[in-house]
Amino acid sequence: MAFWMWNAAKEPWGSIVESPLQSADLENAPDAGFEIEYSFIGNSWNEFSTVIFRKQNAEIIYRTIYSMCDDFAYKGDSIYDDFVLRRSDYAGDTSQWNNLDDKRISIVEELKRKIEEYEIEYSWVNSSSFPYTILYGDPVIVSLKNFKSRTRKELVLKNSSEAGVHKAIAIEKLMRKAWPAREAFTKLTEEEVIQNCWEAQKNQPHPRFKEFIL
């Protein structure tokens, strides 16, 4: 009976969105095999960094996008709902495509396989019961564009280690391993970013979190 009740109490953790690729995606990358894109927020929400990995013929190349000082937004009904982080524009997109080093090629290839195989996991943890600071601080979103099958798969994972969902945890670890060094995004140190953003925002009214909703 206890096992049945535990099983019945489990809830789906995160979400999966699958859709066909748009014609613009296919036109912009005619020779690509796949593309993986994801972002991380750092420095108390002062930095928003994105990396894009692309399989181009026999090589994997990558580029970075960097925004700071609230040059991004999220949208969703509430911080406890399935919100999705989105960069507001490509204003910080100054990076050219670069060849990925051999050490990380296998990591990106494995990440692709894990995303393709991933199905919703279940946990007894209810995401709405998590403290505001936990959910607000570490959302994980990763998307895979498969140009051969012409499909896109996006995973939205929230604090998987807290929920004990092992396949999601494995994906997050691979995302961290594949992440480029800080110099690929900006030459500024974390301390310089904090100071610059403080100077830019000290005379501006700080909006409540719901005012970030698009």
Side-chain angles (χ1 to χ4, degrees), residues 43 46 65 153 165-166 201:
N43 245 324
N46 282 323
I65 301 167
K153 184 176 183 178
V165 283
H166 300 292
Q201 298 170 0

Side-chain angles (χ1 to χ4, degrees), residues 11-16 82 118-128 130 135 156-165 168 172:
E11 295 185 359
W13 188 258
S15 63
I16 299 175
D82 281 337
Y118 187 77
E119 297 179 349
I120 285 291
E121 295 177 273
Y122 291 81
S123 172
W124 59 269
V125 176
N126 185 337
S127 62
S128 64
F130 272 60
L135 281 182
V156 181
L157 309 170
K158 296 183 293 188
N159 300 82
S160 301
S161 60
E162 300 290 340
V165 283
E172 292 180 26

Side-chain angles (χ1 to χ4, degrees), residues 127-142:
S127 62
S128 64
S129 68
F130 272 60
Y132 167 84
T133 53
I134 293 179
L135 281 182
Y136 195 69
D138 194 26
V140 176
I141 300 107
V142 58

Side-chain angles (χ1 to χ4, degrees), residues 20-81:
L21 282 181
Q22 301 297 313
S23 58
D25 291 314
L26 299 170
E27 293 169 3
N28 291 335
D31 300 321
F34 68 82
E35 198 170 275
I36 297 174
E37 177 177 344
Y38 57 95
S39 305
F40 285 124
I41 293 175
N43 245 324
S44 302
W45 283 72
N46 282 323
E47 295 182 291
F48 188 33
S49 304
T50 298
V51 64
I52 304 171
F53 298 104
R54 178 184 290 178
K55 181 70 175 289
Q56 191 86 35
N57 299 319
E59 297 181 329
I60 293 183
I61 55 179
Y62 77 97
R63 68 188 305 190
T64 59
I65 301 167
Y66 178 79
S67 298
M68 56 182 267
C69 303
D70 291 339
D71 186 23
F72 54 87
Y74 72 79
K75 58 183 177 180
D77 291 334
S78 76
I79 204 64
Y80 300 111
D81 200 0

Side-chain angles (χ1 to χ4, degrees), residues 70-130:
D70 291 339
D71 186 23
F72 54 87
Y74 72 79
K75 58 183 177 180
D77 291 334
S78 76
I79 204 64
Y80 300 111
D81 200 0
D82 281 337
F83 66 97
V84 178
L85 292 163
R86 302 289 189 194
R87 56 180 176 276
S88 57
D89 52 39
Y90 280 82
D93 186 2
T94 58
S95 172
Q96 301 299 313
W97 289 104
N98 299 287
N99 289 326
L100 190 65
D101 60 85
D102 294 339
K103 183 179 180 181
R104 285 187 292 155
I105 287 176
S106 60
I107 297 173
V108 172
E109 293 276 13
E110 185 179 359
L111 177 59
K112 172 185 178 286
R113 289 193 295 272
K114 293 289 187 183
I115 296 171
E116 286 179 324
E117 296 168 358
Y118 187 77
E119 297 179 349
I120 285 291
E121 295 177 273
Y122 291 81
S123 172
W124 59 269
V125 176
N126 185 337
S127 62
S128 64
S129 68
F130 272 60

